[in-house]
Amino acid sequence: MEFAAPLIKGKILKRYKRFLADIELEENGEIITAHTANTGSMKTCWEPGWPVLLSFHDNPKRKLKYSLEMTHNGRTWIGVNTALPNKLAIEAIEKELIPELAGYTTIKAEAKIGKSRIDILLKADNRPDCYVEVKNVTLGYDNAEAQFPDGVSARGQKHLQELMDIVADGKRGCMLYIVQRKDVNRFAPAKDIDPEYARLLQEAHTKGVEVLVYQCDMAPEGIIVERSLPFNLDN
């Protein structure tokens, strides 16, 4: 996935009210407020003074013209825009970069399941429908382990329950974690942050929900799903 226009360089000063970040632009030192499309804690994703990349949107309907796309911790770019992982996943499926999800003829985003929605529905003749829930992984530690979630996630717990119901109904259910940082080499649920999510993920996997973890190549020009990572779900 390439960015439509070159990203703008800056450094982050602070993040507040969940969706706002004050940024000093590199080009002229101007301090602007950028929209942050990330409802999580963004733990391990920013500190004051870290370099960042922003996209600019000249839309008269937008109050904030800049969006925070990536931060840099000195080792890697970290993709913090949670609006992108679904697009990255669909692109990767279309290009058959995720072998486990290859071979389907129809890809539908935001498919309805009962009163809820699933991120991606894959269909093909003569094989079960495949329901894929996508999560953006940005939490990473010095031991090179990526984790999810970065805060207690009742919504994430609900998605795991739904995937278990889907598998019990004879369909495929997949939990796809898109890791948007390069300084990690494995994945585990964040049991110290959300022990219930960790428990449910292990239960879901035991009941047939597939767990897929894919790491992205991160660059200012664009982001692409690159390789599978191993995972450990043991509590």
Side-chain angles (χ1 to χ4, degrees):
M1 187 203 75
E2 296 183 354
F3 291 103
L7 297 183
I8 298 163
K9 297 179 180 179
K11 67 178 179 181
I12 189 167
L13 304 178
K14 64 177 180 177
R15 183 210 182 197
Y16 55 103
K17 295 182 179 178
R18 294 176 69 190
F19 299 109
L20 303 177
D22 286 348
I23 310 292
E24 181 181 326
L25 301 182
E26 181 180 282
E27 182 179 18
N28 55 16
E30 180 186 359
I31 296 176
I32 59 93
T33 300
H35 178 251
T36 305
N38 192 313
T39 59
S41 72
M42 284 179 58
K43 183 179 180 180
T44 76
C45 289
W46 79 278
E47 293 289 344
W50 280 18
V52 300
L53 294 173
L54 308 163
S55 56
F56 179 77
H57 307 271
D58 192 15
N59 183 339
K61 295 182 179 180
R62 282 189 56 142
K63 182 178 179 181
L64 300 175
K65 302 296 185 182
Y66 294 89
S67 289
L68 182 61
E69 300 289 347
M70 298 190 220
T71 63
H72 202 286
N73 65 358
R75 299 186 301 273
T76 179
W77 288 110
I78 304 168
V80 296
N81 185 347
T82 54
L84 295 187
N86 285 17
K87 297 176 183 178
L88 291 168
I90 289 173
E91 179 185 74
I93 293 168
E94 290 175 339
K95 293 183 176 180
E96 298 193 339
L97 300 177
I98 303 177
E100 298 93 337
L101 302 178
Y104 287 90
T105 54
T106 302
I107 303 174
K108 183 178 181 180
E110 295 295 323
K112 287 192 70 175
I113 49 169
K115 296 182 180 180
S116 186
R117 290 184 181 272
I118 200 84
D119 287 327
I120 301 170
L121 171 60
L122 305 176
K123 286 178 167 287
D125 293 338
N126 302 317
R127 61 190 305 186
D129 291 350
C130 180
Y131 293 80
V132 184
E133 186 64 31
V134 182
K135 297 299 182 188
N136 188 48
V137 180
T138 58
L139 181 61
Y141 292 101
D142 290 339
N143 65 354
E145 184 171 88
Q147 294 188 4
F148 181 90
D150 65 359
V152 175
S153 178
R155 187 166 179 264
Q157 295 170 20
K158 175 173 170 284
H159 290 152
L160 290 173
Q161 295 280 11
E162 289 171 343
L163 286 173
M164 282 188 269
D165 292 341
I166 285 167
V167 170
D169 197 36
K171 304 178 181 69
R172 282 186 75 188
C174 296
M175 198 58 249
L176 174 59
Y177 296 97
I178 299 293
V179 181
Q180 287 201 81
R181 57 188 302 159
K182 294 280 287 181
D183 58 350
V184 293
N185 57 31
R186 61 189 185 277
F187 171 83
K191 61 183 179 182
D192 291 338
I193 294 175
D194 191 342
E196 179 61 8
Y197 185 91
R199 185 193 70 78
L200 284 170
L201 180 58
Q202 187 180 51
E203 179 186 348
H205 189 244
T206 300
K207 291 183 176 180
V209 174
E210 299 167 52
V211 176
L212 307 175
V213 183
Y214 274 81
Q215 185 176 50
C216 294
D217 182 39
M218 310 294 300
E221 297 76 26
I223 307 169
I224 189 169
V225 171
E226 184 180 48
R227 66 174 182 137
S228 174
L229 292 184
F231 59 85
N232 179 14
L233 307 184
D234 293 338
N235 286 318

